[in-house]
Amino acid sequence: MRRRLPALALSAALAALACTSGPCAPPAQAGWFGPNVDPQLVAQVPFDKRGAINAADAELAVASEDLTLAKMKQELAGTQRDYASLGVDLAKAQEQSAKLALDIARLEAVMAQRLGKPDENTKLLNDLKADRIKSEGERLQLQGKQNATDLMVRDMRQRVAAKEQDVAALKARMG
């Protein structure tokens, strides 16, 4: 049975190999929490003495996947907020369009009864119809944006669900 080298051991071996052909740069001075460990020294640790290194490497792999999943969920939540906001904007546009339709119907009824000043009524009716057309255009544009955002939300949900399964499988493998 062939044993697989963890990623850290492989990178340490490659670093040691690269440094055999000439001078090497000193290790980085600081990482997130302090100085980095020289990969050349790590490469010299016997394979049977790397239990803690392998466990820490596995813990880092799980933590990195958890971080990736959390970022995906955050992005999904933002897209869902955008979808909800578009829903409010769309409802407002529909309400505005309905108000304009009501005003048009009222004015047409007034004009049919020959009430008010004909010139002013005609100008107001034309303005109301122009506003309604503009409102309908905005509503259609919002509807298109909402449909596109809905597709994005569904796609992101599927990707998050798949990533959750991957992370759960990784955690199960790691014990």
Side-chain angles (χ1 to χ4, degrees):
M1 184 162 99
R2 185 175 168 204
R3 297 183 98 170
R4 294 181 58 203
L5 289 176
L8 182 60
L10 182 60
S11 63
L14 290 173
L17 182 63
C19 289
T20 58
S21 61
C24 285
Q29 292 300 314
W32 281 358
F33 302 110
N36 291 328
V37 178
D38 186 348
Q40 293 177 28
L41 295 177
V42 174
Q44 295 175 26
V45 174
F47 189 76
D48 60 337
K49 305 289 185 193
R50 294 183 185 206
I53 294 172
N54 294 341
D57 191 39
E59 186 178 335
L60 176 60
V62 170
S64 295
E65 290 299 309
D66 279 340
L67 177 60
T68 300
L69 177 59
K71 286 180 179 180
M72 289 174 72
K73 286 180 177 181
Q74 183 180 34
E75 184 181 354
L76 172 60
T79 305
Q80 288 173 323
R81 278 191 300 275
D82 292 346
Y83 181 80
S85 179
L86 284 168
V88 170
D89 292 346
L90 180 59
K92 286 179 182 177
Q94 288 171 331
E95 180 187 39
Q96 180 63 25
S97 183
K99 285 180 181 179
L100 289 168
L102 176 60
D103 285 345
I104 290 169
R106 286 176 177 167
L107 187 56
E108 285 176 342
V110 165
M111 290 173 73
Q113 296 302 313
R114 300 186 194 278
L115 302 172
K117 296 181 180 175
D119 291 346
E120 289 178 16
N121 288 347
T122 302
K123 181 184 180 321
L124 180 58
L125 182 63
N126 288 338
D127 289 346
L128 288 171
K129 286 182 177 181
D131 288 346
R132 178 123 195 262
I133 290 170
K134 181 180 174 186
S135 177
E136 278 298 305
E138 290 172 4
R139 185 190 67 76
L140 290 172
Q141 185 179 20
L142 287 168
Q143 181 82 48
K145 284 182 182 179
Q146 191 181 42
N147 290 343
T149 305
D150 181 48
L151 289 174
M152 287 174 45
V153 166
R154 282 191 260 157
D155 177 60
M156 292 173 85
R157 281 183 184 152
Q158 289 175 350
R159 288 189 293 130
V160 165
K163 188 63 160 181
E164 285 174 333
Q165 289 176 350
D166 291 347
V167 169
L170 179 63
K171 287 179 180 180
R173 281 194 314 267
M174 297 299 177

